[in-house]
Amino acid sequence: MSKFSNQRIKKVTAYTPGEQPKDRRYVKLNTNESPFAPSPYALRLARLAAADLKLYSDPECRELTAAAAEAFGIEKDEIIFTNGSDEALNFAFAAFCDENNGAAFPDITYGFYKVFADLYGVPTVEIPLKDDFSVDVNDYIGVYKTVFIANPNAPTGKALSVGEIEKTVKGNPENVVVIDEAYVDFGAQTALPLIKKYDNLLIVRTFSKSRSLAGGRLGFAIGNKELIADLNRVKYSTNPYNVNRMSQAAGLGALCDSEYFDYCREKIINNRNYLSMQLKSRGFEAVDSLANFIFAKKAGVAGKEIYLKLKEKGVLVRHFDTPRLTDYVRITVGSKEELDFLLEALEEIL
Ligand code: PMP
């Protein structure tokens, strides 16, 4: 830390991304990426876009916006594209929260919410999950804070119904409720239809998971046009060209290739069921997940030990060293081959 850093920077504990070691080839099941390549059409459009890299990208992402508006049945001013959905979350914190307008989110959830809050000096309320790791939406009614809920939640994979989301949105008419749907395409219910009914609902999504474009850094937020205008004020006050040419093109291709999208997510859902069954048959307890990962533990074996031994065998999973999570590992649902490699490694370890 330099002597020049401000008080907020001094205090913030930055987000720790999942490790990306390069010392050997790993079966990488630690950062919830897709095991499948991006849509071939997305890659073709990205390659063509690369030829124009000398020019700035379209700050309005017009082609992508038009395609998304059609795909999601919304107006063009009800969506904003961002550099990964992390940036959409960043914009939401910058637009809706400050020292006097706090944020509320579950005590166990995506770690970036707390990081953004600290970075912007936003007071937070972290609401405990129930013992079974579920969110009780009654805890969020009338909290008078901007609410952030990942649905499905991370790292548990547990999801709320759209009725429960609606209750939360309805119960906070004076505040924005941000529903982070990074993992929604793997079987949970989306709250998308509710944006026409409520002016305080913001939905955040990503191309990183179900559309295999994690490295392209493309996310978006959908909501009432005034909310989107607020996010655009932040974007045009920080980085108007936030989505590069190749990512805009790849996103357009991925969005148009709905057949490939459906093929990939169906495979992930099948593989998730397979992994869950196989883990259970080996004595693991696995949280019921509607995401592309499974949170699991085995009685008598520490989560950290499983993580370390798997790493030795060339398999990366994620371990969180906090009291309620320490028994568990989070395993990304990979390809069938990757999962069989993991299961074999687990057999040897256990
Ligand atoms: N939300 C949740 C719940 C996540 O797990 C992630 C991925 N780490 C993100 C948002 C951000 O994803 P991206 O920036 O790649 O869109």
Side-chain angles (χ1 to χ4, degrees), residues 20-126:
Q20 315 269 4
K22 296 275 178 250
D23 56 322
R24 62 186 275 192
R25 261 178 78 95
Y26 286 94
V27 169
K28 214 175 153 299
L29 304 176
N30 66 331
T31 42
N32 301 339
E33 290 139 327
S34 170
F36 306 117
S39 139
Y41 185 49
L43 291 180
R44 197 159 86 232
L45 293 193
R47 252 180 243 121
L48 288 172
D52 284 327
L53 276 179
K54 70 174 185 187
L55 301 172
Y56 281 114
S57 59
D58 175 7
E60 293 172 54
C61 302
R62 274 167 294 192
E63 277 185 90
L64 191 51
T65 298
E70 194 176 321
F72 298 121
I74 55 168
E75 301 301 319
K76 289 184 212 155
D77 53 8
E78 292 173 328
I79 184 165
I80 177 176
F81 282 93
T82 53
N83 192 316
S85 60
D86 281 336
E87 190 181 50
L89 295 166
N90 183 5
F91 288 176
F93 271 93
F96 307 125
C97 305
D98 60 24
E99 298 80 358
N100 303 312
N101 297 283
F105 42 82
D107 64 338
I108 295 170
T109 190
Y110 184 36
F112 232 132
Y113 306 154
K114 179 77 173 111
V115 177
F116 283 132
D118 290 348
L119 184 64
Y120 291 117
V122 174
T124 57
V125 174
E126 295 182 53

Side-chain angles (χ1 to χ4, degrees), residues 15 31-32 83-87 89 109-110 112-113 150-154 180-183 204-209 214 217-219 293 330:
Y15 179 71
T31 42
N32 301 339
N83 192 316
S85 60
D86 281 336
E87 190 181 50
L89 295 166
T109 190
Y110 184 36
F112 232 132
Y113 306 154
N151 193 45
N153 198 10
D180 178 352
E181 295 191 346
Y183 301 104
V204 171
R205 295 250 193 117
T206 182
F207 279 62
S208 294
K209 317 293 177 183
R217 311 305 302 126
L218 185 63
F293 52 83
R330 189 195 68 191

Side-chain angles (χ1 to χ4, degrees), residues 12 29 55 97 105 127 134 146 187 204 209 225 244 291 297 322:
V12 81
L29 304 176
L55 301 172
C97 305
F105 42 82
I127 300 176
S134 59
T146 302
V204 171
K209 317 293 177 183
K225 68 178 184 191
N244 72 69
K297 69 171 177 183
T322 58

